[in-house]
Amino acid sequence: MASIKVALLGFGTVGEGIYRILNERKEEIKQQTGYLIDIDSILVRDTAKKRLATPGIKITDDIQEILSNPDIDFIFEAIVGEEPAYTYLSDAIEKGFNVITANKKMFAKHGPALYKHAEFRGVQLGYEATTAGGVPIIRTVTNLLPTDRVRRIQGILNGTSNFILTKMREEGIPFKAALHEAQALGYAEADPTDDVSGKDAFRKLMILSALAFGKQPNWQDIQVAGIDRVTIEDVAGAFKGKLRYRHIAEISIDENGTLNGSVGPVLIGSAHPLYGVDGVDNAIIVETDYLGILTLVGPGAGMYPTASAMVGDFFQMIGKRERVLVNS
Ligand code: NAP
Ligand code: HSE
């Protein structure tokens, strides 16, 4: 049976999730695709760290061991921060690897350049997991675009913030304790500052903006606030008044093509469509010319939801590759 060799960059919450899904679903994948998926290598920062056993897989801290292996076809990137991730993916694309990333910090800034580079090199680039975890918002908007025009996007784009606000409201748990819980569950970033300051949601909004409107606004024109100043007293007071805090990111385009956006905590009442979205869930409302209003809701962070979005990209890519091979 033919096999497809892949490499994982990163073996934390998300990288381990990809490994688990590809192993747990090995037989189904073989039957459905006709391929044996072979994880060849995993890149980590610290090869001495104790981690889940991965028999037969090379664990390395040297990216060149992966990039110089012509047998590897696909690279899943789930490391942290802009660099060295951007350089690794640029090099991978240049060498003809197909790449799939979850790294929103890197992708918000460098996504448009990576995308052009991938098109130029004729390789595939997947980034579903960069935005809203397991919610298939990238695929959905991509599919809408040939026929429709997006006017406005509004949503809850940070699972950690929504989880904390929910814990504060439902269980009276203070901010710090709720954040610790989000970290233990693998929802928060290793450094959760960007989660609670609004920067993470802002970056996801920029990724959506590039996709839906073909451009991003000047980053400094967007007001960004987080939930880090919302106290348990604020949440309790709002609750008494039948209101809820939600961390909402939104962006819209006007008739002149100008983008307007904001990111921050907002008090909403029960009539608002985001009122009932609790816990780690994200929700995205997309307003378009023809379809009207579409809302997607689902887990916005965590091992399996995020990894499933990446594996989803992977299978879409295998399908496309097959069509190219059949037609050529
Ligand atoms: P994590 O648990 O902190 O794991 C990060 C992994 O990357 C670790 O295995 C680490 O190696 C490795 N790594 C970090 N910097 C590296 C470098 N310079 N070179 C080689 N390896 C490096 O992070 P995570 O939660 O899995 O998140 C991974 C990425 O996915 C991040 O960009 C994050 O923003 C994004 N993301 C996360 C979620 C989520 O729910 N967690 C959801 C969507 C997107 P060691 O193990 O040796 O330390
Ligand atoms: N830390 C992020 C969140 C992970 O809580 O939304 C998903 O991007």
Side-chain angles (χ1 to χ4, degrees):
M1 173 175 278
S3 73
I4 293 182
K5 275 197 194 300
V6 307
L8 313 184
L9 312 189
F11 202 63
T13 303
V14 178
E16 188 180 316
I18 299 164
Y19 172 83
R20 285 177 183 274
I21 293 177
L22 292 179
N23 272 291
E24 286 165 15
R25 306 276 302 164
K26 207 174 201 136
E27 285 310 312
E28 290 90 338
I29 293 170
K30 263 202 273 183
Q31 278 167 19
Q32 283 170 20
T33 66
Y35 285 111
L36 178 73
I37 309 303
D38 176 11
I39 304 176
D40 179 88
S41 338
I42 299 176
L43 179 83
V44 293
R45 201 169 17 197
D46 175 6
T47 52
K49 201 189 247 183
K50 225 177 155 33
R51 53 182 97 240
L52 180 73
T54 54
I57 298 176
K58 213 177 302 146
I59 305 287
T60 179
D61 58 4
D62 179 2
I63 186 69
Q64 295 313 327
E65 283 194 29
I66 292 170
L67 296 184
S68 63
N69 184 344
D71 295 335
I72 295 172
D73 232 349
F74 290 84
I75 290 182
F76 290 88
E77 188 259 314
I79 65 173
V80 177
E82 257 178 70
E83 286 293 357
Y86 175 54
T87 303
Y88 289 174
L89 290 197
S90 297
D91 291 352
I93 289 170
E94 189 56 30
K95 287 181 176 222
F97 292 90
N98 298 295
V99 298
I100 298 162
T101 181
N103 185 339
K104 58 264 158 112
K105 186 168 186 184
M106 179 278 300
F107 203 78
K109 189 162 169 192
H110 300 293
L114 282 180
Y115 214 85
K116 275 193 195 140
H117 191 181
E119 274 186 350
F120 179 70
R121 295 291 297 149
V123 300
Q124 302 188 70
L125 168 63
Y127 61 102
E128 182 65 71
T130 59
T131 305
V135 182
I137 184 64
I138 301 296
R139 227 162 281 150
T140 303
V141 173
T142 303
N143 290 341
L144 284 173
L145 284 175
T147 47
D148 214 335
R149 202 152 35 161
V150 177
R151 291 289 175 195
R152 180 166 176 256
I153 294 174
Q154 182 190 48
I156 295 171
L157 295 178
N158 184 265
T160 299
S161 297
N162 206 43
F163 178 84
I164 292 171
L165 290 174
T166 305
K167 284 278 168 183
M168 287 165 86
R169 188 190 82 241
E170 284 185 342
E171 299 173 33
I173 294 179
F175 178 90
K176 269 196 173 163
L179 173 58
H180 283 147
E181 215 176 308
Q183 287 175 302
L185 290 164
Y187 302 155
E189 303 300 308
D191 173 356
T193 312
D194 289 352
D195 286 307
V196 298
S197 68
K199 280 190 185 154
D200 178 77
F202 165 75
R203 292 192 186 106
K204 291 164 177 164
L205 192 69
M206 293 303 100
I207 292 170
L208 288 176
S209 176
L211 172 65
F213 306 122
K215 60 185 179 182
Q216 296 182 350
N218 289 327
W219 284 21
Q220 55 281 14
D221 292 345
I222 306 295
Q223 284 226 340
V224 179
I227 60 156
D228 40 5
R229 302 230 179 103
V230 179
T231 65
I232 195 138
E233 290 78 22
D234 293 335
V235 172
F239 189 51
K240 271 192 201 144
K242 295 193 167 42
L243 298 172
R244 291 180 181 175
Y245 276 97
R246 292 291 181 221
H247 188 259
I248 295 180
E250 64 177 287
I251 189 152
S252 57
I253 191 160
D254 68 18
E255 291 307 323
N256 303 317
T258 305
L259 296 171
N260 294 294
S262 65
V263 178
V266 178
L267 267 177
I268 59 174
S270 60
H272 195 287
L274 300 176
Y275 186 80
V277 181
D278 271 335
V280 72
D281 275 359
N282 281 190
I284 307 103
I285 303 166
V286 184
E287 292 183 23
T288 77
D289 280 354
Y290 297 136
L291 176 67
I293 296 177
L294 171 77
T295 305
L296 298 184
V297 185
M303 177 185 279
Y304 280 106
T306 310
S308 82
M310 297 184 83
V311 175
D313 277 344
F314 175 57
F315 286 120
Q316 225 181 13
M317 289 179 179
I318 292 180
K320 275 194 194 152
R321 196 177 81 144
E322 285 309 290
R323 283 198 292 280
V324 171
L325 291 177
V326 166
N327 293 332
S328 60

